Structures are given as structure tokens and as C-alpha cells.
Amino acid sequence: MIVNSDFYGGNIILAGVRANGDIALRLRADPVLGFTQWYYFVIEQYGEATDLVIENAGDSLIPSGWEGFASWVSEGGDSWARTTTSYSDGELKIHRKGKLGRCYYAYFPPYSEARMSALLRAVTADSDCLVTVLDTASESDEVNIVEFGHAPGNNPVIWILCRQ
């Protein structure tokens, strides 16, 4: 069994394997703001499918948000679906019956670097769009603004924010 979150946007800590075989995980604090709430990781497991238990979900920023929540799962990282999830006694349990091999799990489906790059290439090719680098979040991560159209005057401005 391999649990990995060492990739762009990845976030989880492997705490161990419980006596019943469930995989114990812990939310890692946001590196800037310090709170816990979100996760994104990949697990590769063969043999008997076991459940994933996020042990510190009750210590997250909004623990009441786990009530009725359903985790996202993807077998390839491209298309995502909800999966059976339960919350009790401060722990979030992601039920994995039948989910073997390589699966991604996330608090919300991520917008990958590859998709962002493809989007920026597409809008850069459009003469009505202007892409500008506002800042850099890290050595390889730019914060861009995309301007659509060139309407002078008192036209409304709409801001769309993504990749929080």
C-alpha cells in the first residue's frame, strides 16, 4: 500500500494502519493560514480494500461541514465522482469497498497544472484575450490575470477567481 500527497496541491499525512486494517490519515495544516480542512492524495492498494479514516477531521476549521459530506474519488485523476463517506466522533471515514489499484481522493476535485496550462495556451492564442502574470506564488507557480475583450468606457467588470 502506498499513500502519496507529494505533488502539486497534495495534502495528507499517513498516520499508520489500524488493527482492523483501516488506513489512518491526518489532515495537514494549510502552510500559510495554519488551519486544516482539505485533502488531496493518491493511494495505491491491492488485495483487500480497506477504509480510509481521517483521524483529525474533528479538529478542522469547519468540523460541522463533514456532516453529510461525500468525498471525491477518481481512478485516473481526470473524472471525479462522490463516494460513500461518514463522519462520527471527530473522524471522517471514506468507504472504499471495491476500490483497489490506484485511486485519488480529494476534498474537492482539483484543477490540475496541466489543465491550467492548456487553458492559458488556449486563451493566449485568442486575439481578444490578454494574459498577464500578476505575481508568482512559488518558483514555478504564476498567478495570472486573463482579460477577455477590449471594451472601453463604463462597461461592467467581472472577476473570476480560481485555483485558490
Side-chain angles (χ1 to χ4, degrees), residues 125-156:
D126 188 325
S127 62
D128 286 330
C129 295
L130 176 65
V131 178
T132 307
V133 176
L134 291 177
D135 201 354
T136 54
S138 68
E139 242 180 65
S140 63
D141 193 15
E142 296 176 339
V143 178
N144 304 99
I145 185 169
V146 180
E147 297 178 58
F148 296 92
H150 308 286
N154 281 339
N155 292 301

